[in-house]
Amino acid sequence: MEIQEILSQMTLEEKASLLSGLDFWHTKPVERLGVGSVMVSDGPHGLRKQAEGGDHLGVQESIRAVCFPAACASAASFDRDLLRQIGDCLGVACQHERVAVNLGPAVNIKRSPLCGRNFEYFSEDPCLTAELSTSLIRGIQGRNIGVSVKHFAANSQEHRRMSSDARVDERTLREIYLPAFESAVKNGGAWTVMCSYNRVNGEFASQNRELLTRLLREEWGFDGYVMSDWGAVSDRVKAVHAGLDLEMPASGGSNDRRVVEAVRAGLLNEKDVDLAVERILTVHRRYWDHARPDTPWDMEAQHALARALAADCMVLLKNEDGVLPLDEADTVAVIGKFARSPRYQGGGSSHVNSFRVESLMDALSGLSTVRYAQGYDVESETPDEALIAEAVEAARACSRAVIVAGLPDAFESEGYDRSHMRMPRCQNELIERVAAVNPNVIVVLYNGSPVEMPWLGRVKAVIEAYLGGQAVGGATRDVLYGRVNPSGRLPESFPHRLEDNPSYLSYGGEGDVAVYNEGIFVGYRYYDKKKMDVCFPFGHGLSYTTFAYDNLRLSSPDIRESDTLTVSVDVTNTGRVAGKEVVQLYVGDVESSVFRPVRELKGFEKILLQPGERRTVSFELGKRAFAFWDVQLHDWRVESGAFRIEIGRSSRDIALSAEVHVEGAPPAPCRRTVNSIFMDLMRSEENRAILQPMLKQMASGLGGASDSEEGAISSQMMEAMLQYMPLRGLVSFSGGQISYEQLEALARQLK
Ligand code: BGC
């Protein structure tokens, strides 16, 4: 039956029943009309399908599945295709398991290193988040499984997540917190969106019509359905009207009844209910039409892929004296509990029941040059002298010491935030003590967000492996021993200390009010503007080879905002091994009437180069690469002028740069009044011709001394002061030369 026909045959009660879940993971059927129930499941880096009646906090087991690198790690790949591959694997698993919608990706911006859910989010940068998450979406939906892009919107903290009100100004929302959702809809064709728990500028996201209807549907053209985060609905009737189609999980029928009553009482238009049902059924029809439960799910093959992908996500932060890669002949002390039981995923709704976990020690089994010491306990922060002594002893006996450290589970999770950026004391102490006896210490970090590294100056190498999924041990081995040349780049800045972070003064909020005071200056946008030293900058990552950049060229030195600028650069592998380079393109506005970051990532490409190989990498830049969100126009605007195009190895290591002149659309004419100031008025040539003589007269009336005369105010000072004088100053300070009535006529005449 056509959806419209089904709809026309449904009772109001049946329609309302479809607007909330049957249980934790299913939608309701309407059997008499052949409407089936569908299953939805987490999550973004591995299928977490729970048995019927399961909880949603990861307490109860889910079916065995493959755990891929979490978004903190996969984002570090800077590799669209890698994300697409993970998406494809998730799509296969969902098809096999009859799951219609995969609840991810989670695309919230990392505003602070403290957010408990950073491990599930991609980056502090909107361009990187948008590009990578959209690739993941394409991978999943390529298998005809829906995604649920979450958590819409401004869910950048876990603290009081169900009640907190994110107060974010319009420009910051548009430039930082919304682009990944926008791209998911416009470029990814997302089937569903999941609203967040929090309020956004005073209204719960679940009943925020501005977000769910005006922006998502009317402006971006979203044609799927919006579901609530689990338990995010406050006022169901208001939520239906706002555009929240499906409430999850079940509400025991009580909200369905409220919807029916509201329609009967004339408080809710039945059309709103019909629309929600239509959207839900349309998306589910897409799934039913392409359901393929006979799709084979080869977990072994996916495990092998998970290992290869995890290696491509690892970021080599430091490698002094080329201590890495290791040689199989080197004697190596492998230290740390995480080398035996890796931390490879985060806690909460994304927790996967991995069918296998491969540790570094598993991957090193059979290598006689390696010996293991536990070094620390994960249950306690207190240094354990016996474990440290054993580790020191092992390190003394070997030429290299690899310490696998990071954050234990309890340090970061969905549901609460961190309160500091430190690693457990026992691990920091261990690293110091081992470094005191072995000059070749290599630290491998398994963590979901940045940590302070007080020992950084005393170790030779650091690999940030993030939470690399169930095959992280094999991947760590591959990178340590040079089977894989590391190519990850930091998708976030690592500040020296938490206090350096731009959100530090207001993160978490006061009570339920969280004001995003730093505005658009999130992450490197802030550190660069303040010229602050960071521990490791956004985009940073080393390789076992080296790359040279040259021959930066622009398709034109001058463009209009409607044109596309092509930027090309040649990259050469100047080392002795093959490697992947991440070519990063940043744009900066040379002069602007609004506050703008020094540079913003507007393009990136990951390329594989053999030793000596040279390749041209090209980027296309359109209007959005140069625009800011104009709060007067409520639209994107390019201000005419020069823009810097920078090609960098990181946000702090710019290899080449050039300038392009972009001609923006002329600013919309604005009405001049008697309160307009001279500085603004004198921008127009026509205005200058009219006003210059009047200004002169006013300056002399006010007693500005000529350059040769001595006086309290020189003519130069006077000129500077008069910039801020409103037009009405002509009445007050020109000795009656002009009346107020003449002034109003003059204002109307000015551009
Ligand atoms: C989380 C969502 C998740 C949902 C279902 C919520 O607590 O915030 O990300 O998809 O539970 O497990």
Side-chain angles (χ1 to χ4, degrees), residues 25 42 56 117 150-151 161 194 197 229-230 349 414:
W25 307 110
D42 286 301
H56 75 295
R117 238 172 151 172
K150 62 192 190 183
H151 309 87
R161 69 170 167 163
M194 187 191 293
Y197 286 126
D229 198 345
W230 269 228
S349 61
E414 175 180 341

Side-chain angles (χ1 to χ4, degrees), residues 540-560:
H540 170 75
L542 306 171
S543 164
Y544 296 151
T545 186
T546 46
F547 300 96
Y549 287 77
D550 66 281
N551 205 15
L552 171 63
R553 53 223 185 263
L554 311 182
S555 53
S556 166
D558 279 291
I559 61 164
R560 282 191 306 265

Side-chain angles (χ1 to χ4, degrees), residues 24-25 40-44 48 50 55-58 102-104 106 117 120-121 148 150-151 155 158 161-162 194-197 227-231 248 348-350 414-415:
F24 255 97
W25 307 110
V40 302
S41 283
D42 286 301
R48 183 163 166 282
Q50 280 188 289
D55 70 297
H56 75 295
L57 293 174
N102 181 283
L103 305 175
R117 238 172 151 172
E120 232 177 308
Y121 300 155
S148 200
K150 62 192 190 183
H151 309 87
N155 184 182
E158 289 298 279
R161 69 170 167 163
M162 291 181 146
M194 187 191 293
C195 78
S196 57
Y197 286 126
M227 74 173 81
S228 72
D229 198 345
W230 269 228
M248 287 303 285
S349 61
S350 69
E414 175 180 341

Side-chain angles (χ1 to χ4, degrees), residues 248-414:
M248 287 303 285
S251 65
S254 79
N255 271 342
D256 304 352
R257 279 193 297 279
R258 289 173 73 190
V259 169
V260 171
E261 280 159 20
V263 172
R264 297 244 154 88
L267 300 171
L268 180 67
N269 195 328
E270 190 165 350
K271 285 210 181 88
D272 287 337
V273 176
D274 289 356
L275 202 56
V277 172
E278 189 188 333
R279 289 173 184 145
I280 293 170
L281 295 185
T282 305
V283 167
H284 292 172
R285 170 75 47 99
R286 260 183 238 161
Y287 166 71
W288 289 121
D289 284 351
H290 302 93
R292 298 277 176 278
D294 54 350
T295 304
W297 181 11
D298 184 345
M299 290 203 212
E300 287 295 339
Q302 289 198 356
H303 177 86
L305 182 66
R307 175 171 175 164
L309 301 184
D312 265 0
C313 297
M314 292 191 183
V315 189
L316 180 61
L317 292 177
K318 172 175 179 176
N319 190 18
E320 227 173 83
D321 305 330
V323 69
L324 287 176
L326 301 173
D327 191 294
E328 292 203 352
D330 293 334
T331 51
V332 182
V334 176
I335 299 165
K337 178 87 185 189
F338 284 166
R340 276 251 156 92
S341 340
R343 172 133 188 279
Y344 65 94
Q345 65 170 330
S349 61
S350 69
H351 202 271
V352 174
N353 180 10
S354 308
F355 88 93
R356 177 183 306 145
V357 179
E358 192 182 352
S359 73
L360 175 59
M361 288 312 292
D362 293 336
L364 289 172
S365 69
L367 200 61
S368 58
T369 44
V370 166
R371 67 185 264 195
Y372 172 76
Q374 182 183 321
Y376 58 85
D377 219 336
V378 279
E379 262 71 57
S380 161
E381 281 212 52
T382 318
D384 180 320
E385 278 308 320
L387 291 179
I388 292 182
E390 185 199 7
V392 165
E393 165 53 26
R396 205 178 258 130
C398 295
S399 69
R400 308 267 191 279
V402 172
I403 304 177
V404 185
L407 295 177
D409 268 320
F411 272 59
E412 48 180 355
S413 165
E414 175 180 341

Side-chain angles (χ1 to χ4, degrees), residues 383-562:
D384 180 320
E385 278 308 320
L387 291 179
I388 292 182
E390 185 199 7
V392 165
E393 165 53 26
R396 205 178 258 130
C398 295
S399 69
R400 308 267 191 279
V402 172
I403 304 177
V404 185
L407 295 177
D409 268 320
F411 272 59
E412 48 180 355
S413 165
E414 175 180 341
Y416 56 91
D417 287 334
R418 290 195 291 171
S419 57
H420 61 77
M421 245 177 66
R422 294 186 295 277
M423 283 166 46
R425 200 156 58 80
C426 56
Q427 295 190 24
N428 282 335
E429 170 89 15
L430 171 78
I431 298 172
E432 298 281 3
R433 301 268 289 276
V434 169
V437 300
N438 189 315
N440 296 313
V441 174
I442 296 129
V443 176
V444 177
L445 293 172
Y446 292 165
N447 51 314
S449 42
V451 289
E452 286 170 19
M453 302 181 202
W455 33 256
L456 186 61
R458 287 174 291 287
V459 304
K460 282 268 167 74
V462 182
I463 295 175
E464 177 53 80
Y466 282 110
L467 302 179
Q470 66 178 52
V472 72
T476 306
R477 183 210 158 120
D478 294 342
V479 169
L480 282 172
Y481 284 86
R483 290 183 184 172
V484 172
N485 188 351
S487 61
R489 302 289 182 265
L490 285 183
E492 64 197 322
S493 314
F494 274 45
H496 286 295
R497 11 169 250 157
L498 179 63
E499 291 81 350
D500 292 349
N501 179 262
S503 74
Y504 178 73
L505 294 177
S506 63
Y507 181 76
E510 292 172 320
D512 276 336
V513 178
V515 185
Y516 285 37
N517 279 322
E518 70 286 356
I520 58 166
F521 293 99
V522 174
Y524 69 91
R525 286 168 167 74
Y526 173 83
Y527 300 120
D528 283 359
K529 194 82 174 179
K530 296 262 296 190
K531 296 194 171 77
M532 271 170 79
D533 191 32
V534 288
C535 188
F536 292 107
F538 174 86
H540 170 75
L542 306 171
S543 164
Y544 296 151
T545 186
T546 46
F547 300 96
Y549 287 77
D550 66 281
N551 205 15
L552 171 63
R553 53 223 185 263
L554 311 182
S555 53
S556 166
D558 279 291
I559 61 164
R560 282 191 306 265
E561 65 167 40
S562 52

